[in-house]
Amino acid sequence: MLDLNQMDQAAYTLKAISNGTRLCVISLLADKEELNVSEIGERLQCEQSLLSHHLTDMRAKGILNCRRDGKNCYYSLKNKQITKILDCIQSCQCAE
Amino acid sequence: MLDLNQMDQAAYTLKAISNGTRLCVISLLADKEELNVSEIGERLQCEQSLLSHHLTDMRAKGILNCRRDGKNCYYSLKNKQITKILDCIQSCQCAE
DNA sequence: TTGTCATATGAAAATATGTTCATATATTTG
DNA sequence: CAAATATATGAACATATTTTCATATGACAA
């Protein structure tokens, strides 16, 4: 029941989201089904290239999906469940 | 509702636990109420000093409590709620 | 005391993450 | 086709995290 490999995998996913900007992206996408990069950029304080790096990496790590439509790329959560981590961590912060 | 500062704080806590060894520690302490460093070390594949660094840092970041009793230091979860993140992330992995 | 056990600490090295900047690519429009 | 828009990429750098090693500290037992 205590499997380091399993925990490493969990850690891999957690690391991929352990960043303020990335959590914001997840929070945005929790509601909106999908958003393109510009829309995300407008809502966040994040420079184009940096945001792109974050999105690309989160996608590579299986957090986000991406779909191109013309000039735009629409990102969405690959697994909505991930938003529960946000609730979870926030309830932890409160109960401190 | 989308507050970067709040997300940064959440990220700070997430970072403090986004590591296989640290998640193992949390998982161990989820059951056992408290364990001393040697007990944790036996159950984990982790060298003394490295484990100590992890524990000290998790403590500094408000994840763990520590109580000394004689030669031993007993660590426990400051907030049991944190274990829900483990369940949470694991259910995310499955549903992939 | 001295030795031993349990744990912590600090510095250095190794590695990973985050950020910036300049530039590339894909798509659409004129 | 050329220009404009949306987004990605790569290299360089800055910063943070992880790991190792040597050593320190605290507590107890002989």
Side-chain angles (χ1 to χ4, degrees), chain A residues 3 14 16 20 23 46 50 65 78 83 87 96:
Chain A
D3 178 359
L14 280 177
L23 290 178
C46 193
L50 179 53
N65 267 131
K78 190 151 179 184
T83 61
D87 304 338
E96 216 152 274

Side-chain angles (χ1 to χ4, degrees), chain B residues 9-36:
Chain B
Q9 233 200 293
Y12 176 82
T13 301
L14 280 178
K15 264 186 202 172
I17 66 171
S18 297
N19 169 283
T21 300
R22 292 185 183 198
L23 290 178
C24 284
V25 169
I26 289 171
S27 171
L28 278 175
L29 292 174
D31 307 340
K32 306 283 179 182
E33 205 52 56
E34 67 174 13
L35 287 172
N36 65 43

Side-chain angles (χ1 to χ4, degrees), chain B residues 35-39 66-75:
Chain B
L35 287 172
N36 65 43
V37 180
S38 307
E39 291 169 329
C66 179
R67 163 181 90 76
R68 182 178 267 273
D69 180 11
K71 283 185 288 189
N72 297 290
C73 284
Y74 288 87
Y75 280 89

Side-chain angles (χ1 to χ4, degrees), chain A residues 23-84:
Chain A
L23 290 178
C24 285
V25 170
I26 290 171
S27 171
L28 278 176
L29 292 174
D31 306 342
K32 306 281 178 181
E33 205 50 57
E34 68 173 11
L35 289 172
N36 65 43
V37 181
S38 307
E39 290 169 330
I40 298 173
E42 281 160 29
R43 286 167 173 80
L44 262 51
Q45 277 332 352
C46 193
E47 189 259 335
Q48 186 275 313
S49 167
L50 179 53
L51 178 56
S52 181
H53 278 301
H54 280 309
L55 294 174
T56 300
D57 190 64
M58 281 198 275
R59 187 191 173 193
K61 290 177 177 160
I63 314 290
L64 299 181
N65 267 131
C66 179
R67 162 181 90 77
R68 182 178 268 273
D69 180 10
K71 284 186 287 189
N72 297 289
C73 284
Y74 289 87
Y75 279 89
S76 57
L77 294 175
K78 190 151 179 184
N79 181 346
K80 283 271 182 188
Q81 297 253 66
I82 200 94
T83 61
K84 284 200 290 184

